[in-house]
Amino acid sequence: MCGIVGYIGNQTAKTVLLEGLRRLEYRGYDSAGMAVYDRDGFNVSKKSGRVANLAMEVGKRELEGSLGISHTRWATHGGVSDSNAHPHVSSDGKIVLVHNGVIENFGDMKRFLLTKGYTFESETDTEALSNLIAYHYEKEGRPTNGFSRFFMAVRKALRHVEGTYGIAALCVDCPEEMIGARKGSPLILGVGQDEFLLASDVSAIITHTSNVVYLNDDEIVSVTRDKFQISTSSELGVDAIIDTVNWKIEDSEKGDYPHFMLKEIFEQPAAIENAMRGRFSDDGSTANFGGWNLSPHELRQIDRILFTSCGTAWHACLVAEHLIERFARIPVEVEYASEFRYRNAPLDKNTLVFVITQSGETIDTLGALREAKRKGYRTLAISNVVGSTIAREADGGIYQHAGPEIGVASTKAFTSQLVIAAMVALYVGRLRDMSFASGVKMVEALKELPDKIGRVLKQNDHIKDIARRYAHYADFLFLGRQSMFPIALEGSLKLKEISYIHAEGYPAAEMKHGPIALISEDCPSVFFASNDEVFHKVISNIQEVKARKGKVILVHAESCDVPEGLVDDAIIFPDGHEAIIPILATVPVQLLSYHIAVERGCDVDKPRNLAKSVTVE
Ligand code: M6R
């Protein structure tokens, strides 16, 4: 949610910033802007709309400066307009700032600053902070222990902020310094050859360097042309750890695909292979996780697991619930992170708290994790982004290794979360009642997954053809039972987020308790079925829809005996172990949603109102 890129080095900042913003655009895309320190001062450009609009604007300007900051916005305070776009310059012209997060007490700040003569041009919370930094710079700032007056002013202003921020700032009197800071919103420092970059995530800097410092909450960094120094609100100058990122540049590029989403759907066999790599025991009967940080003995003391997350990751939690209760026989609860963090839920003493998050930065999930830690619970995270805040703050974790997911609609991250959920069920199950033979069966089934997903992907043209025939409908129902219910929820979320079609997911049998009122020839249903004990019940639910003239697309396992002529369209996935069926059933609906959205002319990778990483509450 909002992307920040800052640059100081030998190259033309304008070019570096634009390239970084294009790579970060998936974080927010309602407006974009940059400030370059050029000759004697800031040159600020900001434009509502996509980064391409900003590129046109700055393309007209001769900007040679090699120090600059930039931003791509997802609006929180103030509508989408050029004046609300970042950067924001303080009214005395001294400070320029880009910000990701929400300054909750900006109203108080603004009232105070108005009394001091500062003025405001935008409706944003960020402008209050740029003015507050300017205030401290003018009134009280002085260099201390080798830190500049500008740095001391930023540090002082941040002490007054309630809320969250990732920021990059420049000062008109300091052509050799850029400052970054974070609390609750991500910010990393890229350490290159004779250059430094600040960015909200790795994708913006990967073409320059793979050496990064993940800033921690409450840290503030001063970056000059030849060095950087990190401090906190209580200590000047603290040690920094430089990590190496192992992404390849191609991972964050579309290649020959028209959209990241399609590329990422097709990357699923490889992503799943990576999630499993090196994680099965030598005897092939269980899973192993390096970062789990919980001994088998400690795990045996756990009586209950709480999973908590948001959006698609929450659907992964629901599948995990099904698999862990089924194979490990531990009671599992699933909560929305946004509810859990404020609900003060009583938890059993021996509860393990698990969060699932692709980005590792989702603010509600982070809040839930912190709340669980505060109460003394053991916490684990399944996350895709190495070094993300949640991955670092959880007591232990399992990385997905799915590679960067750029499309706003989560696809490969979801299926790799389901694979890890199945492996957790296997591992915990084998510590309890699951036999060696059952463990071996499950491992073999998981190993077959990449190939089976490849077989589903071969139906792309068939699914595209179905999509063409259904793209004009305004409403859809997605219906499934047991572990297929979360897949129905995921299918409906995928469709609505990228095609803006109204869609609802329900347990198939619940349909009779209300949603059936929606069924008509204008509201198609997507059903999910595998060859299990509820298959015939699902067929009865389909009959009920057909009796009301509803069209039905059935996503089903190969061996299901579907009555001839019952459904209007079918997408078949290979049979398999119960643990992998939800994954195989997901891929067809990802493709269906994708092709429907393309058919409707939607911007698949950047759906309206959404952002990839939700770092505001
Ligand atoms: O990064 P996270 O997994 O924590 O993100 C959670 C949700 O914001 C995310 O899954 C969202 O629902 C996606 N747009 C779904 O496609």
Side-chain angles (χ1 to χ4, degrees), residues 309-315 356-363 365 382 390 400 405 407-411 413 417 490 493-494 497-498 607 610-614:
S309 289
C310 303
T312 284
W314 184 78
H315 299 153
I356 302 184
T357 167
Q358 187 285 130
S359 62
E361 301 292 350
T362 302
I363 198 85
T365 309
I382 296 172
I390 290 175
Q400 298 175 223
E405 190 180 68
V408 167
S410 188
T411 52
Q417 286 161 354
E490 175 60 9
L493 177 67
K494 249 9 15 135
E497 71 179 334
I498 58 169
L610 297 179
K612 182 70 181 163
S613 175
V614 183

Side-chain angles (χ1 to χ4, degrees), residues 251-320:
D251 290 343
S252 56
E253 284 171 352
K254 266 199 301 240
D256 292 335
Y257 287 91
H259 297 101
F260 278 108
M261 182 177 176
L262 190 63
K263 175 183 179 237
E264 287 158 6
I265 291 173
F266 273 83
E267 279 174 349
Q268 289 178 109
I272 279 165
E273 199 89 66
N274 288 340
M276 297 190 294
R277 195 181 311 283
R279 285 180 167 160
F280 292 121
S281 62
D282 290 345
D283 66 0
S285 77
T286 189
N288 290 318
F289 300 105
W292 187 274
N293 286 344
L294 208 58
S295 70
H297 176 72
E298 285 170 311
L299 206 45
R300 283 205 60 91
Q301 314 303 311
I302 299 294
D303 297 330
R304 189 169 282 275
I305 300 180
L306 171 83
F307 275 91
T308 181
S309 289
C310 303
T312 284
W314 184 78
H315 299 153
C317 293
L318 293 177
V319 176

Side-chain angles (χ1 to χ4, degrees), residues 322-369:
H322 180 87
L323 296 177
I324 292 171
E325 291 195 339
R326 167 87 175 80
F327 295 110
R329 310 294 302 152
I330 299 186
V332 175
E333 281 170 61
V334 178
E335 289 245 19
Y336 282 114
S338 52
E339 293 296 306
F340 172 75
R341 62 185 295 198
Y342 292 114
R343 208 167 67 80
N344 200 17
L347 298 179
D348 288 353
K349 185 159 60 95
N350 296 327
T351 300
L352 173 67
V353 176
F354 239 117
V355 302
I356 302 184
T357 167
Q358 187 285 130
S359 62
E361 301 292 350
T362 302
I363 198 85
D364 285 319
T365 309
L366 178 60
L369 176 85

Side-chain angles (χ1 to χ4, degrees), residues 3-6 13-14 16-22 24-25 28-36 43-55 57-58 61 63 68-74 81-88 96-99 168:
I4 290 176
V5 194
K14 169 176 106 172
V16 176
L17 296 178
L18 273 178
E19 189 215 337
L21 286 183
R22 282 194 193 103
L24 279 195
E25 204 173 10
Y29 32 85
D30 59 47
S31 44
M34 70 166 67
V36 172
N43 190 307
V44 178
S45 329
K46 30 200 218 173
K47 275 289 186 210
S48 50
R50 299 291 163 90
V51 170
N53 295 358
L54 176 71
E57 176 65 25
V58 295
R61 303 188 186 188
L63 287 177
I69 56 175
S70 62
H71 189 264
T72 173
R73 179 171 189 242
W74 185 88
S81 65
D82 290 358
S83 60
N84 285 336
H86 298 214
H88 289 284
V96 63
L97 180 75
V98 293
H99 165 228

